[in-house]
Amino acid sequence: MTGDGVNDAPALKRADVGIAVAGATDAARAAADIVLTEEGLSTIILGLEIARVIFARMKSFLTYRIAATLQLLAFFFIAVLAFKPDEYAATTPVPSFDAPNWPSFFSLPVIFLMIITLINDGTLISIGYDNAVPSKYPERWVLPIIFMVAISLGLIACLSSLLLLWWCLSSWQPGSVFQGLGIGGMDYGHIVNVIFLKVAVSDILTLFSSRTAQEFFFQRKPHPVLFGGCVFALCLSTLLSLVWPCSILDNVPVCGLGYGQDRQKIALWVWLYCLVVFIIQDCVKVATWRTIMYFNLFNVNNIVADKASHTEDEQAVLSGDSNTTVVEMQPMINPAPVPAPAGHH
């Protein structure tokens, strides 16, 4: 409801959204929810667009936060319980000087976990500047869909990290994946840094997929601030994995991938692996979205029953056993321009 006079004040007060236009009386301004300071109603449309852009950024934030948390928690929970490095060392030709370094369970040093968390959170802040696209329909929270999409992203990242960990621990076995690729067996300190690099890179790349909703990651250009933050985080993670000095942290051997003959190539291999996983991850996300939209789960397509018969046949409409008219909500932004009054330019 829009208005400018004293007689409009009761309607502005009663309306869901009361808008006092420019030049409105004090009574109308006091009763309204929104007060326009300039002539024209285009500000209302702009306000809707900005609000929906903010909402889209919030959904991207939640999707990424859930996916990244799921990858970290699920990966380390499963890795601690399922993988016993000392058993791999006992059954494979691990060099005698390195075998005592293989612990009874897999873990990353606390400092590595802190670095991953800080880099991810610092990068995530830049999503507030992202080039989000406003929805054509009124926004609403549908948390089950956000969880479904986030789980699909986190699940692929988690499974790929577990697979890489298994390849690393079995790298000394004849016929293993690393032996076939020519990488050969890996010291345990290098294995720890490989997993650190994989988890850090996968987490950051997940942000590019989670920000585009049902679209592929390349269909929407990221904001330079977001892109620059991600590039910095990726470079920092890679640099740390290469130059971290060989030492013992929290009783866990660590050694940078830059130390050792031909170990620098492992970082490049991990990067290629992360990129392949990212493409698969993005395809799974799009497939999840299209499945949700195809079956209209949680009414994601904003299909509403015709108002005249909705109350009477609501249950029949929901069950699909009714001939009740169903219409699709029309976009509420970018309306047709209103022609200016004659004599005005």
Side-chain angles (χ1 to χ4, degrees):
M1 173 67 188
T2 60
D4 60 353
V6 176
N7 58 327
D8 296 324
L12 294 174
K13 185 70 174 179
R14 179 63 177 171
D16 293 328
V17 181
I19 302 174
V21 299
T25 61
D26 292 341
R29 294 161 66 94
D33 301 297
I34 300 175
V35 178
L36 303 183
T37 58
E38 297 182 0
E39 297 289 342
L41 302 178
S42 61
T43 307
I44 301 175
I45 305 301
L46 179 61
L48 287 173
E49 292 179 346
I50 294 176
R52 294 180 186 182
V53 165
I54 295 174
F55 201 95
R57 290 170 179 164
M58 292 171 62
K59 290 195 295 185
S60 298
F61 174 90
L62 286 178
T63 302
Y64 171 74
R65 185 74 277 167
I66 296 171
T69 302
L70 175 64
Q71 180 194 184
L72 286 174
L73 294 181
F75 168 71
F76 288 112
F77 179 78
I78 297 174
V80 168
L81 296 179
F83 294 93
K84 301 183 183 302
D86 58 346
E87 294 183 0
Y88 285 89
T91 57
T92 56
V94 175
S96 58
F97 69 88
D98 189 45
N101 294 329
W102 292 52
S104 58
F105 61 90
F106 177 82
S107 64
L108 284 183
V110 175
I111 186 65
F112 279 12
L113 297 177
M114 291 179 61
I115 291 174
I116 292 173
T117 303
L118 289 175
I119 290 177
N120 289 349
D121 290 346
T123 306
L124 187 57
I125 294 175
S126 62
I127 205 170
Y129 299 91
D130 192 24
N131 296 325
V133 176
S135 171
K136 296 186 296 182
Y137 308 103
E139 289 281 15
R140 57 193 176 94
W141 284 112
V142 189
L143 293 180
I145 292 180
I146 293 178
F147 275 99
M148 291 173 65
V149 175
I151 289 173
S152 69
L153 291 170
L155 185 62
I156 299 299
C158 177
L159 292 177
S160 63
S161 297
L162 292 172
L163 181 61
L164 180 60
L165 177 58
W166 177 60
W167 286 346
C168 289
L169 294 177
S170 61
S171 61
W172 291 98
Q173 293 179 355
S176 64
V177 174
F178 277 24
Q179 294 289 342
L181 293 174
I183 298 175
M186 297 186 61
D187 301 336
Y188 191 77
H190 288 142
I191 293 176
V192 173
N193 277 55
V194 164
I195 298 303
F196 163 74
L197 178 61
K198 163 61 177 68
V199 173
V201 172
S202 287
D203 266 3
I204 298 170
L205 292 180
T206 300
L207 180 58
F208 287 102
S209 182
S210 62
R211 59 175 287 275
T212 55
Q214 66 268 26
E215 300 175 341
F216 289 101
F217 73 95
F218 55 80
Q219 291 184 276
R220 190 185 306 170
K221 183 179 179 181
H223 192 277
V225 173
L226 176 65
F227 184 77
C230 290
V231 170
F232 174 78
L234 291 170
C235 292
L236 180 60
S237 301
T238 305
L239 181 64
L240 290 175
S241 70
L242 287 171
V243 303
W244 196 277
C246 297
S247 58
I248 303 294
L249 297 176
D250 301 328
N251 297 322
V252 178
V254 296
C255 191
L257 300 178
Y259 305 102
Q261 185 177 5
D262 295 331
R263 291 309 182 192
Q264 299 86 349
K265 296 179 181 178
I266 300 177
L268 177 60
W269 190 92
V270 172
W271 255 96
L272 294 176
Y273 178 74
C274 290
L275 291 175
V276 172
V277 170
F278 169 63
I279 294 174
I280 296 174
Q281 188 182 37
D282 197 55
C283 291
V284 171
K285 179 210 68 173
V286 172
T288 301
W289 261 110
R290 291 184 178 179
T291 301
I292 292 172
M293 298 176 70
Y294 179 80
F295 292 102
N296 193 32
L297 299 180
F298 306 102
N299 195 25
V300 68
N301 296 323
N302 287 306
I303 303 299
V304 296
D306 186 39
K307 192 172 182 179
S309 55
H310 181 268
T311 304
E312 179 179 349
D313 298 331
E314 182 178 8
Q315 295 300 325
V317 171
L318 295 177
S319 62
D321 298 330
S322 172
N323 293 325
T324 304
T325 303
V326 175
V327 297
E328 183 175 358
M329 295 179 66
Q330 297 299 317
M332 296 185 65
I333 62 174
N334 299 327
V338 178
H344 293 270
H345 298 282

